[in-house]
Amino acid sequence: MKVLLAYEPGVLRVVDMPKPVVGPRQILAKVRYAGVCATDVSIMKGTLTLGEGMEPIYPVRLGHEWSGTVVEVGSETSRIKVGDNVISDTQYSCGECEYCLKGEYGSCLNGRAIGTISNCWPGSFADYMLVMERTTFKIPANVPLDQAALIEPAAIGLYGLTRAPLGPGNNLLVIGTGPIGLGGMACAKGMGMGRTILAGRKDAKLAIGKQLGADVLVNTTRENLHDVVMRETDGRGADVVLDTTGDPSIFNDVLLMMRGSGFLVIPGFYEQDLKNVKLDRIISRNCTLVGAAGTPQMGPKILDLLANGHINLGPMITDRFPFSRVEEAFEAVTSRNESRVKVLVEFDQ
Ligand SMILES: [Zn+2]
Ligand SMILES: [Zn+2]
């Protein structure tokens, strides 16, 4: 089978590899769609800096946003069948350590990221994807497979938001119009979140956010975000803020855009030490800071939102390339663009 590797920093290479052998509790899927993530591009370039012990080990088989069709199942599987369309968690978890037994799969003592850092599980830019049945979820018949491949970034946003008050009676400020912000916001709106302000720098991406449920759009190149937030929240600040930007220069301002006892969810890595952070703004106002990485067990929730028509992630798909042109897909993510949100790679069937 054909496999894409970040062979070494700066070098992408498609190589031939044997089709994986399916273990007893594993399933093998023919990949149908794989999304290119900014993380994939950073690994390809060799610029990812998530901190100690989180370095990529080259060559990296990239890809963690995917959907596919099951072609083989292991001897001890029961839930997933050949022919099922599936997605998976973006991390391997063992299911047996003390954190997995508590349901805290993201903190699995034997956990491995898929297709990114450290000793990662081989990723989904490949003809076939091998995963544990435990971390695999069946896609309902009425959910398009291309949208299912977008569940991973949306799930990161939703995972953070589920640890804040999510639903009716709470308003939301989303900063950033990438897949995590837009996808997380779409899920929150699909679950009944109140008035939602979306802030970004590109009108075309804000317009996509409108399609996904944003109530108020703010182009921060033209408007002062703090002013708009105060105007829209009776001068109190947002109940929940999802800041996906990873931009340290706005952090102190963002702290003042949430209300007292509010929640700030940060799924975007800063990739640096933050200096002069006014943490007292969190303490004095009894606020909660929520870090969110990975997508443990979020797949079924978002599949349910899609299957029941509560959300439509389709508008986030702005570019498509066949796997034979995967290098161009990576270049597209790198190049500046006014409207690009998610680049999908499509595989031959
Ligand atoms: Zn990603
Ligand atoms: Zn575990």
Side-chain angles (χ1 to χ4, degrees):
M1 67 172 183
K2 294 260 184 286
V3 167
L4 176 75
L5 299 176
Y7 195 76
E8 57 191 27
V11 180
L12 274 183
R13 199 171 278 178
V14 176
V15 300
D16 270 308
M17 279 182 148
K19 201 165 146 182
V21 176
V22 182
R25 296 184 187 179
Q26 297 176 331
I27 65 112
L28 186 72
K30 177 84 185 68
V31 177
R32 299 279 298 276
Y33 295 95
V36 186
C37 176
T39 305
D40 297 322
V41 174
S42 302
I43 293 171
M44 182 268 278
K45 289 181 174 173
T47 55
L48 191 75
T49 50
L50 300 184
E52 305 81 5
M54 295 178 72
E55 296 84 9
I57 300 174
Y58 295 89
V60 182
R61 194 173 121 189
L62 297 169
H64 55 273
E65 306 175 4
W66 72 284
S67 61
T69 304
V70 176
V71 292
E72 259 184 84
V73 295
S75 57
E76 293 177 25
T77 59
S78 57
R79 193 170 49 86
I80 303 289
K81 310 283 185 222
V82 169
D84 285 351
N85 293 324
V86 293
I87 58 168
S88 75
D89 270 350
T90 39
Q91 55 214 112
Y92 163 83
S93 56
C94 73
E96 290 166 9
C97 73
E98 63 183 275
Y99 294 121
C100 280
L101 291 175
K102 286 194 221 179
E104 296 171 9
Y105 302 103
S107 301
C108 173
L109 296 173
N110 308 305
R112 290 167 71 184
I114 291 184
T116 53
I117 52 169
S118 316
N119 173 33
C120 66
W121 186 276
S124 56
F125 285 112
D127 287 320
Y128 294 93
M129 181 73 180
L130 182 73
V131 275
M132 302 302 293
E133 184 195 36
R134 276 190 53 252
T135 57
T136 305
F137 309 108
K138 186 177 167 180
I139 302 172
N142 65 341
V143 174
L145 265 70
D146 54 357
Q147 288 196 45
L150 270 68
I151 286 176
E152 191 275 336
I156 294 176
L158 179 61
Y159 176 56
L161 289 171
T162 56
R163 290 153 67 204
L166 177 64
N170 297 293
N171 58 43
L172 172 67
L173 166 64
V174 177
I175 310 174
T177 51
I180 292 175
L182 292 180
M185 181 196 71
C187 294
K189 290 303 282 185
M191 293 168 74
M193 197 81 183
R195 194 164 177 79
T196 294
I197 304 167
L198 175 66
R201 302 168 63 84
K202 308 275 191 225
D203 288 330
K205 295 186 191 183
L206 289 166
I208 292 170
K210 183 88 184 167
Q211 288 179 264
L212 297 175
D215 300 294
V216 180
L217 304 179
V218 186
N219 186 319
T220 55
T221 66
R222 295 195 298 265
E223 283 185 278
N224 180 296
L225 181 56
H226 185 269
D227 291 350
V228 176
V229 171
M230 291 306 146
R231 186 184 75 212
E232 296 291 331
T233 60
D234 294 331
R236 295 171 191 165
D239 297 313
V240 181
V241 179
L242 176 69
D243 180 8
T244 65
T245 61
D247 179 356
S249 73
I250 65 170
F251 191 85
N252 285 333
D253 296 335
V254 171
L255 294 178
L256 293 177
M257 293 180 204
M258 66 178 153
R259 68 165 171 89
S261 300
F263 284 72
L264 171 59
V265 181
I266 44 173
F269 282 92
Y270 293 92
E271 299 199 46
Q272 58 186 282
D273 297 341
L274 267 56
K275 298 191 181 68
N276 305 319
V277 170
K278 296 187 192 296
L279 277 184
D280 288 352
R281 289 179 180 177
I282 291 181
I283 299 165
S284 63
R285 302 168 69 237
N286 296 297
C287 292
T288 303
L289 186 60
V290 179
T295 58
Q297 304 292 316
M298 284 292 118
K301 291 189 176 67
I302 300 180
L303 287 168
D304 193 49
L305 288 169
L306 284 165
N308 289 294
H310 295 302
I311 61 170
N312 171 15
L313 299 177
M316 287 166 58
I317 305 169
T318 50
D319 300 79
R320 296 168 185 262
F321 292 87
F323 187 43
S324 57
R325 291 166 54 201
V326 67
E327 292 89 350
E328 288 172 61
F330 273 66
E331 275 162 32
V333 174
T334 317
S335 62
R336 289 198 75 78
N337 182 283
E338 292 298 311
S339 60
R340 181 167 294 128
V341 175
K342 178 52 68 182
V343 176
L344 269 195
V345 173
E346 304 179 328
F347 290 76
D348 292 338
Q349 295 313 304

